[in-house]
Amino acid sequence: MKIDDTFHVSYCTNIHPGPDWDTTFQSLRTYVPIVKAKVTPNKRFGLGLRLSNKASEELNQGDTLKEFRDWLSENNLYVFTMNGFPYGNFHNERVKDQVHAPDWTTLERLGYTMRLFEQLAVLLPEGMSGGISTSPISYKHWYATDEQKHQALKKGAEQLTEVVLQLYKIQNVHQKYLHLDIEPEPDGLLENSDEVVHFFRNYLLPIGKKVLKSQLHVEDAQAEDVIKRFITVCYDICHFSLAYEEPLATFQKFKEEGIRVGKIQVSAALKILYKEANMEEVWDVLSQFDEPTYLHQVTEQVNGQVVTYNDLPVVLQAKKSFSELRAHFHVPIFLERFDALYSTQDHILKVIDYIKDDAISEHLEIETYTWDVLPLVLKRELSESIVREINWLKEQLKTSSLS
């Protein structure tokens, strides 16, 4: 749905299991009409669609894509953004670091992403822009040396350039503007704004401009503009809060570099403040979030530098004293506090206040994919939980949260 004629607001359907198309479509038919009826019964409702590689392949079979587009139209729905980060199954089995696999050094990742863009070009309504979020190139702990990381970033830039050429062609042929939104996260090869800027300056722009100048016969400045038009950033609020970055500073940095924000994923991390807490209670409550499916990196700021622990059990076992920790566990965005723990909801409110004056992205996608692994006391019927998050976000967009 559109808010204030500016923001397309929805939730990411990676909440639902989707190892194949039948499972994906069944989830959409089960939950989306219920959610739409409660949040915007008389207007179109947009989706943040998540397709696994297998589901995407099956969507291309026969008339399935056309039938899906017809179903969207019949139910007053539309797709404006997609989540192309998880390639395989994302529920009911161990994911952890494999969420990055295959990474941007592989043809599998390139083929999957380009197929998603062909499908989005069909599904996206006329007159709208569309985007797909993706992995931050790869996972840092898969590379033992700086040279290996350098080669991965180089290969990633080469493959992203292929996507730029595809999106340039789609815009010329279909008159639809689509963009690929790189999503930094802890322990990704890109995990904060400085690493994004470094990647653009030292890999994507020099590699991409050389290719575009040759194939599109454009000058240097135009080639750079094309790259920055089609390769953007997915600003996941949870992830950037884990990097201890203030939204205003990050957005200003990207503006100075000419790097666009293609999508804002509205999400919250856990925050652990020790100065006022009973430590035994803290560890007990935090242990309820230790589950085996997803990576839950934990970050700490020490002398201005961010230290990352690669998963929650590392911190739970050490039980060291810290002034503050932040844990990569997407908790409900309406949750300010849970027992002895807090959330980084304050970062969401700061972003909302910012975009009211400067709408740096029109795509707002709620991404709380952890409903099935949350502590029992936080669980509700799924459609009820989705509706509550959407309504909370709608309300914050209407009011000044920090005033």
Side-chain angles (χ1 to χ4, degrees):
M1 62 189 163
K2 204 163 188 182
I3 304 293
D4 296 333
D5 292 323
T6 302
F7 302 110
H8 295 275
V9 175
S10 191
Y11 77 100
C12 182
T13 65
N14 66 353
I15 289 176
H16 310 302
D20 53 43
W21 173 246
D22 285 344
T23 306
T24 299
F25 193 34
Q26 181 59 46
S27 294
L28 297 178
R29 287 183 295 183
T30 299
Y31 291 103
V32 172
I34 297 173
V35 172
K36 180 188 181 302
K38 292 182 178 181
V39 299
T40 181
N42 301 316
K43 296 181 179 180
R44 282 198 301 178
F45 181 56
L47 289 182
L49 182 64
R50 189 262 159 166
L51 298 175
S52 68
N53 180 65
K54 184 177 181 181
S56 173
E57 289 177 335
E58 293 172 348
L59 185 58
N60 268 1
Q61 295 174 3
D63 293 327
T64 308
L65 182 58
K66 178 183 179 300
E67 291 168 357
F68 178 50
R69 184 178 61 184
D70 291 344
W71 178 83
L72 291 168
S73 178
E74 290 164 5
N75 288 274
N76 211 14
L77 303 167
Y78 64 99
V79 175
F80 65 93
T81 187
M82 298 175 76
N83 187 335
F85 193 147
Y87 177 95
N89 190 22
F90 197 56
H91 287 270
N92 304 319
E93 65 181 56
R94 184 181 177 87
V95 178
K96 294 293 184 181
D97 62 325
Q98 291 304 303
V99 70
H100 292 275
D103 65 14
W104 272 104
T105 68
T106 68
L107 290 176
E108 288 85 357
R109 172 64 63 173
L110 177 62
Y112 165 60
T113 305
M114 295 180 79
R115 187 188 322 114
L116 290 181
F117 272 120
E118 293 294 339
Q119 292 169 335
L120 182 57
V122 173
L123 298 174
L124 184 71
E126 297 293 335
M128 289 187 192
S129 65
I132 297 176
S133 49
T134 191
S135 156
I137 309 303
S138 190
Y139 182 61
K140 278 183 176 175
H141 294 299
W142 291 347
Y143 303 96
T145 66
D146 288 342
E147 176 59 25
Q148 290 174 345
K149 292 176 185 176
H150 164 73
Q151 291 300 327
L153 290 169
K154 180 174 178 291
K155 184 63 176 179
E158 292 170 355
Q159 303 236 75
L160 290 180
T161 301
E162 294 298 315
V163 176
V164 171
L165 291 169
Q166 178 202 25
L167 300 184
Y168 183 88
K169 180 178 179 182
I170 286 175
Q171 183 164 37
N172 287 337
V173 173
H174 300 288
Q175 285 74 54
K176 289 186 176 181
Y177 168 47
L178 307 179
H179 43 80
L180 181 63
D181 314 324
I182 300 174
E183 183 180 338
E185 76 162 35
D187 285 337
L189 274 186
L190 308 180
E191 57 180 320
N192 54 50
S193 60
D194 285 340
E195 292 183 351
V196 170
V197 169
H198 175 76
F199 176 68
F200 268 78
R201 284 180 178 176
N202 297 288
Y203 294 92
L204 183 58
L205 289 177
I207 289 171
K209 285 195 291 186
K210 183 177 180 180
V211 173
L212 267 58
K213 287 164 65 177
S214 172
Q215 295 201 23
L216 302 182
H217 308 292
V218 296
E219 297 300 321
D220 193 87
Q222 186 178 354
E224 180 169 332
D225 288 344
V226 170
I227 293 167
K228 289 180 176 178
R229 176 171 177 76
F230 294 118
I231 305 297
T232 67
V233 172
C234 172
Y235 184 92
D236 186 303
I237 301 175
C238 167
H239 297 174
F240 277 91
S241 71
L242 290 162
Y244 291 81
E245 293 197 23
E246 287 297 315
L248 178 62
T250 300
F251 295 150
Q252 186 60 39
K253 186 183 301 181
F254 285 157
K255 277 196 169 185
E256 290 171 357
E257 294 291 328
I259 297 173
R260 302 185 185 192
V261 176
K263 171 162 68 176
I264 296 174
Q265 281 185 329
V266 183
S267 56
L270 282 173
K271 183 191 297 184
I272 305 97
L273 301 175
Y274 291 159
K275 60 183 179 182
E276 58 187 68
N278 178 304
M279 289 305 301
E280 287 303 315
E281 183 184 5
V282 165
W283 295 124
D284 179 63
V285 177
L286 188 58
S287 67
Q288 298 177 42
F289 292 86
D290 182 17
E291 58 81 32
T293 305
Y294 305 110
L295 267 182
H296 300 298
Q297 305 95 325
V298 179
T299 62
E300 176 192 17
Q301 194 169 41
V302 180
N303 299 323
Q305 300 296 314
V306 177
V307 177
T308 302
Y309 307 93
N310 71 332
D311 208 352
L312 184 55
V314 176
V315 173
L316 290 172
Q317 291 166 14
K319 292 187 177 181
K320 295 180 179 178
S321 293
F322 304 100
S323 60
E324 178 179 343
L325 295 176
R326 297 178 183 179
H328 182 205
F329 196 116
H330 287 222
V331 294
I333 61 174
F334 51 74
L335 192 70
E336 183 180 6
R337 185 169 184 173
F338 174 65
D339 289 342
L341 306 181
Y342 294 81
S343 82
T344 58
Q345 185 193 81
D346 57 317
H347 279 250
I348 298 176
L349 299 179
K350 290 174 184 178
V351 170
I352 290 172
D353 272 12
Y354 183 92
I355 64 177
K356 287 176 183 176
D357 295 325
D358 185 359
I360 56 173
S361 175
E362 61 183 3
H363 293 176
L364 305 182
E365 180 187 51
I366 299 168
E367 200 209 12
T368 307
Y369 57 81
T370 52
W371 291 106
D372 55 346
V373 296
L374 281 171
L376 188 60
V377 69
L378 292 176
K379 291 186 179 182
R380 299 288 187 274
E381 191 277 325
L382 187 55
S383 63
E384 175 189 338
S385 300
I386 297 168
V387 168
R388 187 176 176 188
E389 288 203 298
I390 293 173
N391 284 337
W392 182 88
L393 179 56
K394 287 170 61 178
E395 186 61 30
Q396 305 314 310
L397 288 166
K398 292 177 184 176
T399 61
S400 179
S401 306
L402 298 179
S403 63

